[in-house]
Amino acid sequence: MDYKNDIKYRKETLKKLLFNVQKSEDLIVKALFDDFKKPEFEAVVTETNYVISELKSTIRNMEKWARPKRVFPSLLNFPSTDFIYKEPYGNVLVIAPWNYPFQLALCPLISAVAAGNKVVLKPSELTPNTAAVIARIIEKSFHVNHVEVVQGGVETSDRLLAKRWDYIFFTGSVSVGKIVAKAAAEHLTPITLELGGKNPCIVDQTANLKLAAKRIVWGKFINAGQTCIAPDYILVQKDMKINFITYLIEEIIQAYGKKIKNSPDYARIINSKNWVRLTGMIASEKLIFGGESDASDLYISPTLIDEPELESPVMKEEIFGPILPVLVYESENDIDIVIRNYEKPLALYVFSENDSFSKKMITRYSFGGGCINDTLAHFTNKRLPFGGVGQNGMGAYHGKLSFETFSHHKSIVKKANWLDLTMRYAPYKDKLKAIKRLLDRF
Ligand code: NAD
């Protein structure tokens, strides 16, 4: 079992993992439903199928990604051939959240294995059914000394973080991200932090309002709003507000029917702590739509809130639930005041037919990633890096970049011996002028 040096072995284990994920797809979908009634369609599209596709593309490309890359040499080293070697970090810890508990646990694990690391995965304790299925799949696919699942909550996480790792990949909240960063600092362990933030969704007067409403409703209420890159609040041009709200309501009913609680396509809140937090956000607000809730079923209906104050609970922190505040703006300065009231967003969305306005919005603000005229879509392209900036995280992954994330890039200059220019060696004497002239050229 030489996973560090034998890429064929790594590839075989990932093929085994692919087989076991495909074989267990029904079990995974059931576990996700048992954990928080994740609809089957969402479970397949955003979890099992996503992971299967990641596995297939990694298996297909990993040998190419692992090859030493020859780069153009510097003339200063003439004669040489220069390479970048991808070296596994060693022991990797992956800590996963509950909201996409299968995908966000498995995807980093797949790339860490492909890159030649040993992995310990801690899934979220808030989705115990999915965590148990993950543990079984991993047990069947890998030797325990290669990849291991450790189940448990905060104490388990703390225990794992107290150990020395060569890389830590964490997905979760900003507050726990800081705990992870502190623990990593102890050993100067490199980390990726995939965290959260307050994501604006700007709708201007030129936007195709009906289509914008459809795409926002989809991106917001999928997974009952418990998506790190879900639109957190809307900033709509003032004159468009009434029309836009009408479309939003139409689209919610079109997606989930009039009796949303009975819809098979609408998930539940993860636990009562979050249910209490979210219903507390609605309590003192002016509702435009929704606001229904049922503690016994951890249900909160898609809810639209009318122009809340920036100091109100719903605008204070990341919502991470099916509540969508609708704010208005008249000038670009109004947009600026709202967006700059918060840390950098993880995602930002602009709905507009005006290219220069869209471009201005996506370049004026610093944020992890986003879309023009859509929501969430940037997550799905393996060629786009996915990650945060500032308080919402550091580092990025997806596709080839995930392999690179879990590899140290080792630079090697292979010098030839047939020629040895003496200019760099002491005694330096009259060589300074000549070397300066040479350096100036590069
Ligand atoms: P969380 O931070 O509470 O938990 C994440 C993981 O950390 C879990 O495995 C948990 O057991 C562990 N943990 C919790 N408290 C800990 C502590 N005190 N010390 C050590 N470990 C601890 O996050 P969550 O509730 O599972 O997920 C929701 C958050 O994750 C949201 O803020 C969301 O935006 C963010 N998120 C980000 C992404 C992304 O890709 N950027 C994806 C999904 C979720």
Side-chain angles (χ1 to χ4, degrees), residues 31-38 47 96-102 105 122-134 151-152 223 270-271:
L32 289 162
F33 184 84
D34 292 345
D35 280 331
F36 61 115
K37 291 200 179 160
K38 191 176 280 237
E47 306 255 19
W98 54 263
N99 61 330
Y100 291 86
F102 190 70
K122 197 207 81 64
S124 173
E125 70 281 17
L126 301 188
T127 38
N129 295 296
T130 310
V133 178
I134 291 175
Q151 295 189 65
N223 217 32
I270 187 66
N271 61 7

Side-chain angles (χ1 to χ4, degrees), residues 95-99 104 122-126 152-154 157-158 161 170-174 176 179 194-197 228 318 320 346 386 392 397:
I95 301 181
W98 54 263
N99 61 330
L104 296 175
K122 197 207 81 64
S124 173
E125 70 281 17
L126 301 188
V154 177
S157 225
D158 281 346
L161 286 169
F170 172 80
T171 309
S173 59
V174 173
V176 180
I179 294 172
E194 298 282 346
L195 311 176
C228 58
E318 177 190 14
F320 214 59
L346 178 60
F386 181 78
N392 60 63
Y397 71 131

Side-chain angles (χ1 to χ4, degrees), residues 133-149:
V133 178
I134 291 175
R136 250 174 285 141
I137 291 175
I138 296 299
E139 246 174 56
K140 279 191 208 158
S141 311
F142 299 96
H143 191 283
V144 67
N145 290 339
H146 183 196
V147 181
E148 187 186 2
V149 174

Side-chain angles (χ1 to χ4, degrees), residues 41-60:
F41 181 91
E42 292 180 12
V44 170
V45 172
T46 68
E47 306 255 19
T48 56
N49 225 270
Y50 192 93
V51 168
I52 288 168
S53 147
E54 184 77 9
L55 265 166
K56 285 183 176 168
S57 115
T58 304
I59 291 167
R60 209 169 40 243

